[in-house]
Amino acid sequence: MNTPSDTSDDVDFEQIVESALTRRRFLQRTFVLGSIAALSSQVPVSIARSAPSRFPFIGVPSNVRDDITLPKGYSHQVVVRWGDPLWSDGMQFDHATRGTAFSQSRALGDNVDGMELFVVNDRMLLVVNNEYTNRTIIWGNRRNGKFVSDDDVLKGKMAHGISIVELKQTGRQWEIIKDSPYNRRITPDTEMMLTGPAAGHPLLQTAADPGGMLCKGTWNNCGNGRTPWGTYLACEENFNGYFSATTGEYAIPEELIRYGVRTKDRGYGWGTIDTRFLVDRHPNEPNRAGYVVEIDPSEPDSTPKKRTALGRFKHENAELVVNGDGRVVVYMGDDERGEFLYRYVSHDAYKPGEPTDHLLDNGRLYAARFYENGTGEWLLLSPKTTGLASAAEVCIHTRQAASAVGATTMDRPEWVAAHPHAAEIYCALTNNKNRGVKPNAGGDETPVGGPNPRARNRYGQIVRWRPMDSDHTSSAFTWDLYVLAGNPLVYSDDRAGSDNISVGNMFNSPDGIRFDQTGLLWIQTDGQYNNQNEYEGHGNNQMLVGDPVTGEIRRFMVGPRECEITGMCFSPDRRTIFVGIQHPGERGGSHWPEGGGRVPRSTVIAIRRDDGDIMG
Ligand code: FEO
Ligand code: CA
Ligand code: CA
């Protein structure tokens, strides 16, 4: 990251407000919802709403079945499941033992999340994150779902990271190609390079790596991104929950407390087999996680790179757009209650065919501030604006940097999605029970208002913004809310949701969002599935499709019990959507996909239209 002059992107604020309001008046005629109007009874009935629906399917009802529900005319198949071997020396998944560390290291990881399909030398490579494991499932053969051996712990560790697997399609069917030279498992033990402003900084130096340039592995990779130069971005989210201390008396440094590091881990046990995860022994290790990792799937021996310039926080995904002038802009959310929304802008322009290695190392990082009047601005994070000692420290203590500039505390920013044909970006704000109740972990207040308009927000919302003059590098933007999720069956106040929510399409906790090439927004949920009280009628987690122009939202799919729907990508011909079904049966209530009392398994499915037409 550069340490730029802090004034070069300064903006005339009055001019922003005036042009934003002008644009807003226009937008309110065009779109159904306005951020403030959505909450009042004065929402203008849009002409656009009477436009014919662009959805080629009839929405499916919510339900609590232990299966995939799709509209008439659509079918799905299982492509690959947790524990399916990627090489011939692996073993078929054993439902009694759930495998060993070795079998897991040769198989698809657990809890599939963000994913992309790459075409390399006419071969189709699926790259998919394996975010975490559910201990009662992976160690379900042990008493109370707790590990009893080092091999159990290592099996859990090997179920994390990223899986790369070649796919082939025969007729309508997809299958994996075992032993493809491109198949790869990236795990918490894979060697990686630290790059960008923080690489080599004393805060990243450890006994094993005194130079602070090489680290081992990636874990808790949630959402993802892809670059136009053919690489995959894996985003490290809840990296903190794997660290522990040899004694509960150890005083965790304040900087790590902000990121949730504690003396106890979340039950994974990695510190029992790998001292890297003992924070009292190696206090800088947690500073080497929480980044965006760039991976080249076309080179199975390539070393993944942790791009520190994109900041350190609980990264959800990394939505990359190439600006009109060629500069690379990456939008990113930090998924924690009251944390922030970020933007990275590269210093140099992307030029196809020329080297790209510097593009995610050399740039500026910003955090978003939203104003009540529908405008907002990107606040530069630099030593001068934040008071931190160096550009490296901004990239390591990014949450503290964003707190210092007064960025807006958000309702858990999950995936960000950029419209493929317009300068318009969406972010799912999944929920936040602490909104208006208590500050974030850094002590920043979480007032009700702006894009976070409901106290104790149970249902979540999707905010969208449009950069000034369609320039993604501009400091100024206008924003509104695309949808406030809710439950109109139970409530008639703002908990009913915005006007485009009905008993027929209601949901809670939007999380994964992606646009298709037709400009429709696919929305995946990771919410409460108890189907009771304030969630009555919501059913299992689901996937919906939204039309950004009319505001219409329709339910496309319902997942099996106790799963989260997360991660999606399209085949090159756009006739298949690959979708991630994560942790079915996380509370013991599912046997999907195999049924018959078998172990539930996270799975990538392929969805197609029965007539073979394009999916989006
Ligand atoms: Fe891994 Fe924020 O979801
Ligand atoms: Ca998520
Ligand atoms: Ca979530």
Side-chain angles (χ1 to χ4, degrees):
M1 185 160 74
N2 287 336
T3 46
S5 100
D6 295 317
T7 54
S8 56
D9 279 352
D10 274 359
V11 171
D12 179 331
F13 190 67
E14 281 180 16
Q15 189 196 331
I16 295 177
V17 172
E18 184 42 42
S19 50
L21 290 178
T22 305
R23 182 160 166 72
R24 187 166 184 76
R25 281 189 281 273
F26 166 74
L27 290 168
Q28 282 186 341
R29 284 197 298 275
T30 312
F31 292 90
V32 179
L33 295 174
S35 58
I36 298 152
L39 288 172
S40 75
S41 59
Q42 322 220 331
V43 181
V45 177
S46 164
I47 297 165
R49 188 164 248 194
S50 64
S53 168
R54 289 206 286 149
F55 304 137
F57 62 89
I58 296 171
V60 299
S62 67
N63 66 63
V64 293
R65 297 170 55 212
D66 194 24
D67 203 352
I68 303 282
T69 307
L70 290 168
K72 193 167 183 302
Y74 293 78
S75 306
H76 80 279
Q77 67 152 116
V78 166
V79 178
V80 62
R81 302 161 294 195
W82 161 49
D84 281 342
L86 307 185
W87 293 274
S88 301
D89 63 358
M91 287 168 281
Q92 289 303 319
F93 183 78
D94 182 335
H95 284 260
T97 64
R98 297 123 206 257
T100 62
F102 175 75
S103 69
Q104 182 60 75
S105 72
R106 305 298 283 165
L108 193 89
D110 200 357
N111 278 27
V112 292
D113 208 309
M115 64 180 83
E116 294 287 344
L117 196 79
F118 292 88
V119 178
V120 174
N121 296 328
D122 294 328
R123 302 167 86 150
M124 285 183 282
L125 311 181
L126 180 72
V127 186
V128 57
N129 290 342
N130 301 116
E131 188 184 25
Y132 68 104
T133 60
N134 302 84
R135 294 174 298 283
T136 54
I137 297 177
I138 197 166
W139 297 322
N141 55 322
R142 305 299 194 193
R143 180 187 279 267
N144 299 325
K146 293 200 167 116
F147 64 85
V148 302
S149 68
D150 288 357
D151 196 73
D152 284 348
V153 176
L154 187 58
K155 175 170 76 172
K157 204 175 174 202
M158 292 298 106
H160 284 69
I162 292 117
S163 301
I164 302 177
V165 57
E166 183 174 351
L167 301 183
K168 81 170 174 193
Q169 188 179 21
T170 309
R172 298 176 52 82
Q173 283 296 113
W174 291 91
E175 60 187 300
I176 66 168
I177 300 186
K178 267 192 202 174
D179 303 316
S180 163
Y182 292 102
N183 289 358
R184 183 176 186 185
R185 280 301 321 278
I186 292 168
T187 74
D189 288 341
T190 302
E191 185 168 280
M192 316 216 155
M193 281 177 65
L194 291 152
T195 74
H201 189 276
L203 283 168
L204 301 193
Q205 295 170 1
T206 62
D209 173 32
M213 302 291 287
L214 286 174
C215 62
K216 274 173 78 180
T218 185
W219 56 92
N220 212 287
N221 304 97
C222 188
N224 72 288
R226 79 183 291 160
T227 68
W229 51 91
T231 59
Y232 181 82
L233 303 175
C235 302
E236 298 179 335
E237 192 187 25
N238 295 303
F239 65 90
N240 55 305
Y242 301 81
F243 292 96
S244 59
T246 52
T247 163
E249 303 298 304
Y250 176 67
I252 302 281
E254 194 64 38
E255 294 78 12
L256 295 181
I257 287 179
R258 177 70 189 269
Y259 286 87
V261 176
R262 300 288 183 266
T263 56
K264 280 195 174 150
D265 71 5
R266 298 209 180 136
Y268 298 104
W270 293 4
T272 67
I273 59 166
D274 185 345
T275 62
R276 278 192 292 150
F277 294 94
L278 295 174
V279 68
D280 50 340
R281 297 252 188 99
H282 303 288
N284 282 348
E285 279 291 354
N287 292 331
R288 292 144 66 88
Y291 297 106
V292 172
V293 187
E294 186 174 11
I295 295 162
D296 183 356
S298 73
E299 296 284 348
D301 297 325
S302 58
T303 303
K305 293 177 176 170
K306 293 201 178 188
R307 300 295 189 185
T308 68
L310 276 61
R312 176 169 162 271
F313 43 90
K314 294 188 180 179
H315 280 279
E316 183 71 23
N317 81 326
E319 181 73 337
L320 187 151
V321 295
V322 178
N323 195 44
D325 62 4
R327 280 187 285 171
V328 171
V329 177
V330 188
Y331 293 103
M332 303 169 284
D334 180 353
D335 179 11
E336 187 120 58
R337 297 183 190 103
E339 291 295 341
F340 308 112
L341 191 60
Y342 294 89
R343 179 186 71 168
Y344 169 85
V345 179
S346 71
H347 184 269
D348 294 323
Y350 164 57
K351 298 195 178 96
E354 294 194 8
T356 53
D357 201 38
H358 60 299
L359 292 175
L360 299 182
D361 283 342
N362 185 5
R364 293 173 175 172
L365 196 58
Y366 302 79
R369 184 188 281 163
F370 292 80
Y371 298 103
E372 290 288 337
N373 65 0
T375 69
E377 63 178 318
W378 290 103
L379 306 169
L380 180 66
L381 304 180
S382 72
K384 185 170 169 190
T385 62
T386 64
L388 294 180
S390 63
E393 287 197 29
V394 170
C395 296
I396 298 167
H397 298 142
T398 308
R399 285 185 166 181
Q400 292 90 329
S403 287
V405 299
T408 298
T409 58
M410 306 296 282
D411 285 347
R412 295 187 53 200
E414 300 255 24
W415 290 56
V416 182
H419 194 290
H421 311 302
E424 191 170 287
I425 312 97
Y426 291 62
C427 178
L429 302 170
T430 196
N431 57 53
N432 182 2
K433 67 181 183 185
N434 294 344
R435 172 62 55 187
V437 176
K438 65 182 202 181
N440 71 8
D444 305 315
E445 294 300 325
T446 64
V448 173
N452 309 288
R454 293 179 293 186
R456 297 180 170 81
N457 176 14
R458 293 279 177 193
Y459 298 118
Q461 64 269 11
I462 297 177
V463 63
R464 63 181 167 192
W465 63 95
R466 303 171 188 91
M468 185 68 69
D469 301 325
S470 298
D471 178 357
H472 288 278
T473 70
S474 169
S475 290
F477 60 85
T478 57
W479 65 270
D480 68 359
L481 291 174
Y482 171 62
V483 63
L484 283 157
N487 193 328
L489 184 68
V490 176
Y491 295 113
S492 54
D493 59 14
D494 64 4
R495 291 171 291 182
S498 48
D499 275 6
N500 49 351
I501 290 299
S502 66
V503 169
N505 72 358
M506 61 187 181
F507 62 94
N508 71 86
S509 308
D511 187 336
I513 56 172
R514 289 203 94 163
F515 274 98
D516 66 27
Q517 282 303 305
T518 71
L520 294 177
L521 182 69
W522 295 73
I523 302 166
Q524 303 174 316
T525 71
D526 169 23
Q528 284 291 342
Y529 44 70
N530 61 25
N531 208 34
Q532 293 175 351
N533 303 320
E534 64 261 55
Y535 303 104
E536 183 183 348
H538 282 195
N540 295 345
N541 275 308
Q542 53 186 285
M543 184 159 80
L544 309 101
V545 191
D547 185 333
V549 177
T550 64
E552 184 184 5
I553 294 173
R554 193 171 287 185
R555 187 181 296 117
F556 176 76
M557 182 181 95
V558 179
R561 289 184 194 146
E562 301 173 10
C563 82
E564 161 185 352
I565 312 294
T566 183
M568 65 172 290
C569 62
F570 285 84
S571 61
D573 66 6
R574 294 162 51 198
R575 294 172 197 277
T576 298
I577 315 183
F578 298 95
V579 175
I581 308 297
Q582 193 191 62
H583 64 62
E586 66 174 351
R587 294 181 186 165
S590 168
H591 298 288
W592 190 86
E594 289 155 278
R598 313 213 89 194
V599 175
R601 297 163 74 183
S602 291
T603 296
V604 177
I605 61 170
I607 303 173
R608 289 173 53 88
R609 283 172 60 134
D610 295 338
D611 64 9
D613 209 343
I614 64 163
M615 292 288 300

